């Protein structure tokens, strides 16, 4: 008989009588010790959420006398079952740490110390700084005379740590100020996921959810070390394996993930497209694809126009001066009615299937092996095991993380996995999909709420100056399909954009003034306002001040030496943090005289996770509420309250003094005080007047029941249409639900539809209508996600409530793509409709074996960084460096380095290298070495290990080393950031930097130095 510790404590009250249960046959192993029970006896128990990776593990916070006495995993959380990783286990120590920031701190220009200030003084001065800078530099028009209403000299960076409610008020504030240099952590971790997955399927989110991994028959882990970095994810991998799934790990180094997989395949960093391109060739040549699925649900039969071509690594339509493609050259051929022409028999030479076959014909085993360093035997081992899922009764799932995203071809890495999954029929099915394991607690939610310059909340493109009116903007960004079976859900964009504007500007937003569209700042077309360009413009003196919340860019952005010097150029900066880090204290970093740094620094102490309430959205799109357990430590405040006060103080100054274009600030419908529950309702949205939709009447002030009810006439509001339906009149805040009940069909695959809420409309598996045939019968009845039964869908919430395709009123299953099909050929990305192997920006090769085009022709190269790029095959830097995270430390390490147990487990910077390279360099395990690139150098302890191996690439030996990126100078004194040597090169679609592959050299330090 088993009993959990939680149940035991409730049953016995931790009394001595409970010890007798062990003699009655109860298994008390989970209890461990009676003393543990005494610690929480009489304590209040509050549900919170771990603030680290994107699993969103629920925690139980025990509070006595207003203080946290214990934090542990919540056994009722379906993903973790009560488990926590090392970081989660350290949460109590981090919450009560003596290193916490507890008072507002001020650093005067040129000062050498922090000064304590009260909140009122700080906030008033911050508001004045923002207003003065905005008034001084505000642009009503750009150089072309177009209305832009923006300020370019102020930035905002961060944060994936904020809740959805905090993100909503933050985004509204930033747009009201007119800021366009606006970005957060997703830019440098998972920004490629959205355009890659959206190009394939219509949405940029993880397709399935964590629990669903158990349903896979094959698991391909590539670009991820999830056993160490997302341990609660790997739990479900092991469950799949126990049920017979083949688990394979393709990764540059051997790790704990590799050790528990059926086999590990080492690969040279930056060659994933070559590896997967070979799999595409294998699928097509061996006819491993799921024929019915490919024919019915993908665009394999679509015919591409005559302008399309591909030669020597280049697609048609390239402009060498602009380094951009004219994507019209990749358009589909259409008939007189405007419908895309199709060839279901795949006979037409320009149908997608034949173009794809021709494109990947070069990706033979010999060439792929030569480029990747993977043996032909290992290639076939993966190809055979994974492509066995290409049929109705099998499913394979792909798991990736930053190992795929942080490349100059990051988007196309993920896109190519989408091609594999489409061909094998693995999208929409249980145990299938593409699992984007994000590394930040709410990077999904804060990306949904668009803390990124290029989007408005809900994935609407930020307006550019070429669209001066709302009508012109909506016409440009609202797709049209002539196929009556295509749902083309993005055709509803006007409803969602107008509802957003109504939320931002309330009664001031009317049809007569085009719903205040003119108040939204406009970007210049083609201009990049993301991280790398923010720091380049800051370095050159063009950006004067800004806000940075829960983000450590002076540690986590590549070419860190440049970034830190750029930060020195700021006149002022506002920071919100839990602990000191490399960014807060940049002015006193080693080797710098504080007197020479002019920056005025405002450091605001932030509440930690258990000290506030609100929602986060994990990678599986589960929208979950966490509760406030204790008051914030010291004088710290939650970020929502900080944002709201900044906005309102700036607004008060404009009301009193006037200033540059005050309307977006003065006319904003913005809360006077931050209330997470109230903001959650605003995110869902209200009816702004009495309306009748269909046969149902709604009253002004009622919550909108779901996004299908949003309107384009101003009668509804919603801060984010994706979340509309998550807070209803009938059931209230659905993110608070904790119902574990399931129907037998749902329980078979682990849906848990009553636990919390998932966008969109509580759908747990996206594109699930592709899991059935055209009559609504599941391809795999044993793992059915939905089924058409008695005239309705049963199981998961269907992805579009339309009947199956073969029935009257039936629609295609991919409702978010314009033509209703998943896209093997994706004409919307910047660097090609098919993924193509290009070498990283820095490569040990002198020639690309696949084509004459060495690098991604569209990759983002900042001119001032060209001189610090190594040439192809540069003999001075012959070693490939890749970077990674650690179980014990989170991202830049700025929080976890303050937890003594975690720092004891992983205390210092190191570089992993093979015994062969160590011998060549005369380095022994434990030696201090210097790692150098053209951008700088850093010190690390040598870890000589067989986990790293040399590769045979293009007939010669190529060495590869690995370094974690969680260590910096601020704490402990153990070396500095790996990013001192990484490269400032961006993917052309998202400008994510290429952290995962650059060229370095290393040597033993002349003498031991203190790391």
């Amino acid at each position: 008989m088993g009993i959990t510790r939680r149940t035991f404590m409730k049953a016995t009250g931790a009394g001595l009588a409970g010890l007798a249960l062990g003699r009655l046959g109860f298994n008390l192993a989970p209890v461990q010790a009676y003393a543990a029970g005494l610690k929480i006896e009489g304590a209040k128990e509050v549900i919170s959420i771990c603030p680290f990776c994107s699993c969103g593990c629920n925690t139980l916070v025990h509070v006595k006398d207003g203080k946290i006495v214990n934090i542990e995993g919540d056994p009722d959380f379906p993903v973790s079952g009560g488990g926590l990783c090392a970081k989660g286990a350290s949460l109590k120590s981090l919450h009560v740490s003596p290193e916490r920031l507890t008072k507002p701190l001020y650093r005067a220009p040129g000062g050498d110390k922090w000064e304590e200030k009260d909140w009122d003084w700080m906030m008033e001065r911050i508001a004045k700084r923002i207003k003065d800078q905005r008034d001084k530099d505000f642009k009503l028009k750009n150089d072309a005379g177009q209305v832009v209403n923006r300020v370019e000299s102020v930035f905002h960076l961060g944060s994936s740590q904020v809740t959805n409610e905090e993100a909503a008020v933050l985004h509204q504030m930033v747009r009201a100020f007119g800021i366009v240099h606006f970005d957060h952590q997703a830019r440098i971790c998972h920004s490629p996921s959205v355009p890659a997955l959206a190009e394939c399927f219509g949405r940029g989110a993880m397709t399935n959810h964590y629990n669903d991994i158990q349903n896979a028959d094959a698991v391909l882990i590539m670009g991820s070390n999830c056993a160490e970095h997302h341990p609660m994810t790997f739990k479900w991998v092991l469950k799949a394996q126990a049920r017979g799934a083949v688990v394979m790990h393709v990764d540059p180094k051997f790790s704990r993930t590799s050790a528990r997989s059926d086999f590990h395949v080492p690969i040279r960093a930056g060659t994933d497209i070559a590896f997967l391109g070979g799999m595409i060739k294998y699928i097509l040549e061996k006819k491993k694809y799921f024929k019915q699925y490919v024919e019915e649900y993908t665009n394999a039969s679509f015919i591409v126009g005559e302008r399309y071509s591909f030669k020597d690594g280049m697609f048609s339509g390239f402009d060498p001066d602009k380094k951009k493609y004219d994507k019209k050259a990749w358009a589909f051929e259409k008939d007189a009615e405007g419908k895309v022409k199709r060839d279901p028999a795949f006979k037409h030479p320009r149908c997608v299937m034949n173009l794809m076959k021709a494109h990947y014909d070069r990706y033979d085993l010999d060439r792929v092996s030569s480029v990747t360093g993977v043996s032909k035997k290992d290639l076939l081992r993966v190809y055979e095991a994974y492509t066995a899922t290409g049929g109705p009764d099998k499913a394979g799932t792909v798991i990736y993380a930053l190992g795929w995203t942080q490349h100059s071809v990051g988007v196309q890495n993920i896109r190519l996995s989408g091609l594999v999954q489409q061909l094998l029929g693995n999208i929409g099915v249980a145990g299938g999909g593409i699992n984007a394991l994000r590394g930040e607690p709410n990077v999904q939610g804060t990306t949904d709420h668009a803390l990124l310059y290029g989007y408005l909340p809900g994935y609407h493109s930020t307006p550019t100056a070429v669209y001066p009116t709302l009508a012109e903007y909506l016409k440009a960004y609202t797709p049209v399909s002539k196929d009556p079976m295509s749902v083309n859900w993005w055709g509803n964009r006007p409803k969602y954009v107008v509802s957003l504007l109504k939320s931002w500007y309330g009664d001031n937003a009317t049809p007569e003034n085009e719903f205040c569209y003119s108040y939204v700042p406009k970007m210049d077309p083609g201009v990049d306002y993301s991280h790398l360009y923010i720091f380049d413009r800051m370095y050159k003196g063009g950006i004067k001040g800004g806000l940075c919340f829960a983000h450590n860019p002076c540690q986590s952005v590549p070419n860190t030496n440049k970034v830190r010097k750029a930060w020195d150029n700021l006149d002022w900066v506002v920071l919100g943090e839990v602990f000191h880090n490399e960014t807060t204290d940049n002015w006193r970093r080693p080797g710098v005289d504080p007197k020479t740094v002019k920056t005025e620094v405002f450091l605001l102490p932030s509440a930690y996770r258990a000290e506030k309430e609100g929602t986060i959205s994990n990678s599986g799109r589960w929208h979950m509420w966490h509760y406030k357990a204790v008051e914030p430590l010291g004088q710290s405040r939650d970020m929502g309250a900080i944002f709201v006060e900044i906005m309102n103080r700036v607004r008060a100054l404009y009301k009193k003094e006037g200033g540059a274009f005050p309307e977006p600030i003065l006319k904003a419908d913005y809360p006077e005080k931050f209330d997470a529950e109230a903001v959650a309702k605003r995110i869902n949205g209200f009816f702004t007047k009495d309306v009748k939709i269909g046969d149902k009447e709604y009253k002004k002030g009622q919550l909108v029941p779901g996004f299908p009810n949003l309107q384009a006439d101003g009668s509804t509001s919603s801060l984010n249409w994706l979340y509309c339906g998550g807070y209803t009149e009938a059931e209230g805040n659905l993110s608070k639900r904790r119902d574990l009940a399931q129907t037998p069909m749902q329980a078979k695959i682990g849906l848990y539809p009553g636990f919390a809420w998932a966008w969109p409309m509580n759908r747990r598996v996206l594109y699930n209508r592709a899991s059935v045939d055209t009559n609504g019968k599941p391809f795999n009845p044993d793992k059915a996600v939905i089924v058409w039964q008695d005239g309705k869908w049963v199981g998961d919430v269907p992805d579009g409530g339309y009947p199956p395709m073969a029935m009257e009123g039936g629609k295609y299953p991919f409702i978010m793509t314009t033509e209703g099909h998943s896209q093997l050929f994706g004409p919307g990305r910047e660097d090609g409709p098919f993924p193509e192997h290009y070498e990283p920006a820095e490569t040990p090769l002198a020639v690309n074996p696949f084509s004459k085009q060495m690098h991604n022709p569209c990759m983002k190269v900042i001119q001032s960084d060209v001189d610090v790029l190594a040439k192809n095959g540069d003999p001075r830097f012959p070693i490939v460096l890749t970077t990674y995270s650690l179980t014990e430390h989170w991202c830049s390490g700025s929080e976890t380095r303050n937890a003594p147990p975690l720092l004891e487990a992983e205390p210092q910077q190191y570089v992993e290298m093979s015994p062969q390279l160590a011998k060549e360099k005369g380095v022994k395990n434990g030696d201090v070495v210097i790692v150098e690139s053209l951008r700088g150098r850093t010190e690390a302890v040598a870890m000589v290990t067989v986990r790293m191996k040399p590769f045979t690439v293009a007939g010669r030996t190529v060495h590869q080393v690995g370094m974690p990126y969680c260590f910096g100078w601020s704490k402990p004194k153990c070396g500095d950031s790996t990013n001192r040597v990484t490269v400032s090169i961006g993917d052309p679609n998202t400008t994510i930097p290429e952290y995962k592959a650059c060229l370095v050299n290393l040597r033993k330090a002349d003498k031991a130095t203190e790391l």
Side-chain angles (χ1 to χ4, degrees), residues 624-819:
M624 301 179 290
W625 190 270
H626 59 85
Y627 296 84
K628 182 178 180 179
V630 293
E631 290 301 316
L633 194 64
Q635 296 179 31
S636 58
R637 296 181 181 179
D638 64 85
M639 290 191 186
I642 294 172
F643 300 147
V644 168
E645 185 170 352
I646 289 174
M647 172 67 169
N648 285 325
R649 284 186 180 257
V650 171
R651 177 153 57 181
L653 288 175
Y654 272 102
K655 189 174 182 179
K656 178 182 178 182
E657 303 171 358
F661 197 55
E663 287 83 358
I665 298 170
L666 295 178
K667 295 187 177 181
D669 185 1
Y670 200 77
E672 292 184 6
K673 289 188 176 181
F674 180 74
D675 180 322
E677 194 83 39
V679 177
K681 290 182 179 181
R682 292 189 65 212
I683 290 171
N684 179 89
F686 299 95
F687 289 97
T688 62
K689 59 184 178 182
D690 295 350
V691 295
K692 185 175 183 180
I693 301 174
D695 60 354
K696 191 167 179 60
E697 293 184 353
Y698 299 94
K699 296 295 184 182
K700 179 181 179 180
Q702 275 188 262
L703 292 161
V704 180
F707 58 71
N709 300 92
L710 294 175
Q711 303 295 307
D713 62 359
S715 60
T716 57
S717 70
S718 173
L719 281 170
N720 193 324
W721 74 275
L722 292 173
Y723 290 75
C724 185
Y727 205 128
T728 67
E729 295 285 347
E731 299 182 75
N733 190 338
L734 300 182
S735 69
K736 295 180 179 180
R737 298 187 304 175
R738 297 180 61 79
D739 184 357
L740 299 176
Q742 303 181 81
T743 66
M745 177 181 170
Q746 294 166 343
K748 208 167 186 180
I749 59 173
L751 276 183
Y752 295 102
F755 191 92
W757 185 81
W759 72 261
M761 297 302 292
N762 206 35
R763 196 166 298 139
R764 303 293 163 136
V765 178
L766 298 179
Y767 322 111
N768 52 35
R769 286 198 301 123
S771 70
V772 299
D773 63 20
T774 56
N775 291 302
K777 180 180 178 181
F779 288 128
N780 187 352
D782 290 335
K783 296 178 182 177
V785 181
I786 58 170
V787 59
W788 183 256
Q789 187 174 295
D790 300 325
K792 63 180 181 180
W793 292 107
V794 176
D796 192 14
V797 176
D799 203 349
Y802 309 95
M805 278 174 54
M807 297 186 178
E808 184 178 352
K811 301 284 186 181
Y812 302 133
F814 288 89
I815 67 172
M816 302 302 294
T817 61
T818 303
E819 303 301 341

Side-chain angles (χ1 to χ4, degrees), residues 532-544 562 565-567 569 862-865:
L532 296 186
Y533 288 88
I534 288 174
F535 285 104
D536 189 59
R537 290 163 193 151
M538 194 185 296
Y539 185 76
K540 296 172 181 174
I543 292 178
K544 303 296 185 181
K562 175 183 175 181
K565 290 176 183 176
W567 207 256
N569 288 340
I862 295 173
Q863 194 59 41
S864 59
D865 292 337

